[in-house]
Amino acid sequence: MCYMYILRCSNGQYYVGSTYDLDKRLAEHQCGEGALFTKKHRPVELVYYEQFQRIIDAFHREHQVKGWNRKKKEALINNCPELLPELSKHK
């Protein structure tokens, strides 16, 4: 399996990534061997993930979610997909 995941960092910001091994990647983030951003904002907490058969699909989803604003990410994390269309509208 492959994964797209969202971490909540110690500063309250979200980090979105993708990986083949979620447990290993989370451990890397926690010990400072992950991304530079999470290294500076540890500890991190896994708040959401999705599973995929192919890493390219997880990678595409990562890039989609990375482009979302905080409210859209939180709707996804809180399992409120019905809010996503309204949160996508330009105001």
Side-chain angles (χ1 to χ4, degrees), residues 2-90:
C2 304
Y3 303 88
M4 181 283 297
Y5 60 93
I6 302 175
L7 305 176
R8 182 181 300 118
C9 299
S10 63
N11 65 351
Q13 291 185 297
Y14 295 114
Y15 175 87
V16 182
S18 56
T19 185
Y20 286 104
D21 187 335
L22 188 57
D23 291 332
K24 179 182 177 188
R25 189 64 175 146
L26 182 57
E28 289 172 347
H29 283 296
Q30 291 291 26
C31 72
E33 296 173 1
L36 182 61
F37 182 82
T38 58
K39 182 177 184 175
K40 293 180 180 181
H41 303 288
R42 292 181 291 151
V44 297
E45 173 189 8
L46 178 66
V47 292
Y48 182 83
Y49 69 91
E50 294 176 2
Q51 294 181 325
F52 297 88
Q53 292 294 322
R54 303 178 322 149
I55 193 64
I56 191 70
D57 296 328
F59 182 73
H60 283 298
R61 181 66 165 160
E62 170 192 348
H63 283 274
Q64 177 187 33
V65 174
K66 273 185 176 179
W68 290 3
N69 63 38
R70 182 177 185 86
K71 288 183 180 183
K72 278 186 74 172
K73 289 175 186 167
E74 289 177 344
L76 187 65
I77 292 165
N78 294 320
N79 196 28
C80 298
E82 69 279 4
L83 299 177
L84 294 176
E86 182 63 30
L87 294 171
S88 295
K89 293 180 181 176
H90 292 89

